[in-house]
Amino acid sequence: MDIIIANNANAPLYQQIKDQIKAAILKGELHEGDSLPSIRALANGLGVSVLTIRRVYSDLEDEGFVTSQAGLGTFVSTGNVELLRDAKRRAVEEKLEEAIQTARMLQITKAELNRMMDILYEED
């Protein structure tokens, strides 16, 4: 898992890190039960404060993406498969809403938009 942080980004460092870990989980790059780096190791690797990573892991745990076990580490949650599926759906819905708004603004019909989506979906 590669995490890239940008000091000049609008989002704070902890948000950038949290978003990238969530994205890795949602994309399947990190699987249920996978171990995340220790707080200290990730902080050192990224050159950020241990408190920043502690906040990231705490937020991810509050959201159900990871679980922490004292003395063992932090792991991708195995108990919230439905939560992960719902988060994936929400991410797609957000992108589709953007596309629909853009299509409406450009006066593209629903039928045209559906054809475009069918073509794009089949290109993979």
Side-chain angles (χ1 to χ4, degrees), residues 50-94:
V50 169
L51 296 175
T52 299
I53 303 304
R54 183 168 289 144
R55 179 176 179 185
V56 168
Y57 281 11
S58 176
D59 284 0
L60 289 170
E61 187 165 20
D62 290 345
E63 294 174 23
F65 285 94
V66 301
T67 57
S68 296
Q69 297 177 3
L72 295 175
T74 303
F75 303 88
V76 176
S77 180
T78 57
N80 290 313
V81 175
E82 194 54 41
L83 173 72
L84 295 177
R85 284 190 191 122
D86 189 52
K88 290 178 185 181
R89 285 186 209 108
R90 273 196 319 269
V92 171
E93 287 172 3
E94 288 173 11

Side-chain angles (χ1 to χ4, degrees), residues 1-6 12-25 29-30 36-39 41-48 52-53 56-57 60:
M1 169 183 67
D2 293 324
I3 296 176
I4 300 167
I5 54 175
L13 292 177
Y14 84 91
Q15 189 68 49
Q16 294 177 51
I17 298 165
K18 181 176 128 178
D19 289 348
Q20 290 180 58
I21 293 173
K22 278 173 70 170
I25 293 169
E29 294 170 8
L30 291 173
L36 296 181
S38 72
I39 291 173
L42 187 56
N44 289 338
L46 295 175
V48 299
T52 299
I53 303 304
V56 168
Y57 281 11
L60 289 170

